[in-house]
Amino acid sequence: SQQGEEDPQALSIQEGENATMNCSYKTSINNLQWYRQNSGRGLVHLILIRSNEREKHSGRLRVTLDTSKKSSSLLITASRAADTASYFCATDGTGANNLFFGTGTRLTVIP
Amino acid sequence: EAQVTQNPRYLITVTGKKLTVTCSQNMNHEYMSWYRQDPGLGLRQIYYSMNVEVTDKGDVPEGYKVSRKEKRNFPLILESPSPNQTSLYFCASSWGGTETQYFGPGTRLLVL
C-alpha cells in the first residue's frame, strides 16, 4: 500500500511546547502533504513538500522529508490550544493520480 | 469565497433507500473526489474524477456511484445503502489529483 503511516497515533503536550509527528511511507513519491482536521470537520491543507526538497517552513510549522528513509516529520513550534486537531500526511506515488492518506496523529494541546 | 460545499451535512436513512450526497466547488477545479473516513482506517478514496465525464474507482468503490456532468458538481450516489456505509464522507477538489486538495465540511451518514 502507498498509504502513509503517522506516528505516534496520539500525542498530548502542554501549551508552549513543541509537537513532532512523523510519517512513513512505502513507495517513491513526487510530493508529500500534511493536513489538519479539527474534530469531525473537513481537512485543511497545511504544507506540501516535493521529493527534491528536504525542509520547508510555514509560520510555526516545519516539515522535513527524507526520501532515503521514506519518512517525513511535522514540527509545530510553540503550540497553542487551537492546534488541538488530528494531523494527516498524504503521499502520491510515481504515476499515481491520487493521494493516499494515513490514519493520522491526534494532537492534544493542554492550556 | 473559494469553497467546496456538501449537502446534506447529516443524514439518517434506512437500508435500501437510495440517497444522493451533493458536492459543489466554485474554484473551477478539474479534479474532484470522494472519501470516506472511519475510525482507525483514515481516509479512503471512493471515486475520483479527472474532468467532466471522466470518473474512476478509488480504493473502496463498492456500493457507490458517481457522475460528473458539470465541472463544478460531483454527486455521490448510494443506490441501496447498507449499515456498513455508515461513515463520514468528504468531497474534495483540486487542480490535480496529487496537488493540494480542498475539502468540503463533510457529510455524516447513518444507515439503519
Side-chain angles (χ1 to χ4, degrees):
Chain A
S1 166
Q2 292 173 284
Q3 188 182 52
E5 198 171 301
E6 292 90 344
D7 173 66
Q9 290 188 329
L11 179 61
S12 185
I13 60 173
Q14 296 287 332
E15 202 165 31
E17 293 180 339
N18 295 341
T20 299
M21 290 157 265
N22 303 296
C23 171
S24 60
Y25 56 92
K26 294 178 181 170
T27 65
S28 297
I29 61 170
N30 295 307
N31 74 60
L32 183 144
Q33 303 178 39
W34 285 92
Y35 289 80
R36 184 181 79 190
Q37 182 184 33
N38 290 92
S39 183
R41 301 198 174 190
L43 280 72
V44 175
H45 180 260
L46 294 176
I47 200 162
L48 181 155
I49 187 166
R50 300 207 182 270
S51 59
N52 60 353
E53 298 175 307
R54 291 295 167 259
E55 189 169 311
K56 210 161 180 182
H57 297 254
S58 176
R60 294 184 295 113
L61 306 181
R62 172 178 167 250
V63 169
T64 61
L65 178 64
D66 186 336
T67 52
S68 67
K69 295 182 179 177
K70 291 187 169 61
S71 68
S72 172
S73 67
L74 170 66
L75 168 68
I76 304 174
T77 60
S79 63
R80 306 166 182 168
D83 295 327
T84 293
S86 292
Y87 292 82
F88 294 85
C89 69
T91 56
D92 65 0
T94 306
N97 291 320
N98 315 309
L99 292 178
F100 299 90
F101 287 82
T103 54
T105 291
R106 174 70 189 165
L107 172 66
T108 302
V109 181
I110 302 165
Chain B
E1 180 191 353
Q3 60 182 352
V4 178
T5 57
Q6 293 179 228
N7 282 292
R9 296 288 315 280
Y10 304 91
L11 181 59
I12 301 174
T13 189
V14 295
T15 299
K17 186 175 181 182
K18 182 179 178 179
L19 66 92
T20 299
V21 185
T22 64
C23 173
S24 184
Q25 51 95 3
N26 62 1
M27 294 169 277
N28 202 34
H29 286 159
E30 293 183 344
Y31 183 94
M32 297 184 75
S33 62
W34 277 101
Y35 294 86
R36 61 178 289 175
Q37 185 177 29
D38 302 288
L41 297 177
L43 271 80
R44 294 179 293 167
Q45 192 178 57
I46 303 170
Y47 269 96
Y48 65 95
S49 170
M50 304 283 282
N51 213 325
V52 175
E53 301 291 3
V54 181
T55 63
D56 207 346
K57 296 176 182 178
D59 294 324
V60 288
E62 293 77 22
Y64 304 94
K65 281 179 59 177
V66 293
S67 68
R68 186 92 181 271
K69 294 185 170 60
E70 307 166 279
K71 200 171 189 178
R72 63 182 294 124
N73 296 323
F74 190 44
L76 178 70
I77 303 156
L78 285 72
E79 298 224 319
S80 184
S82 63
N84 65 13
Q85 293 178 297
T86 291
S87 188
L88 179 57
Y89 292 86
F90 291 102
C91 179
S93 73
S94 73
W95 294 114
T98 60
E99 298 302 319
T100 298
Q101 303 291 307
Y102 295 83
F103 282 83
T107 295
R108 194 170 290 277
L109 172 65
L110 173 61
V111 183
L112 300 173

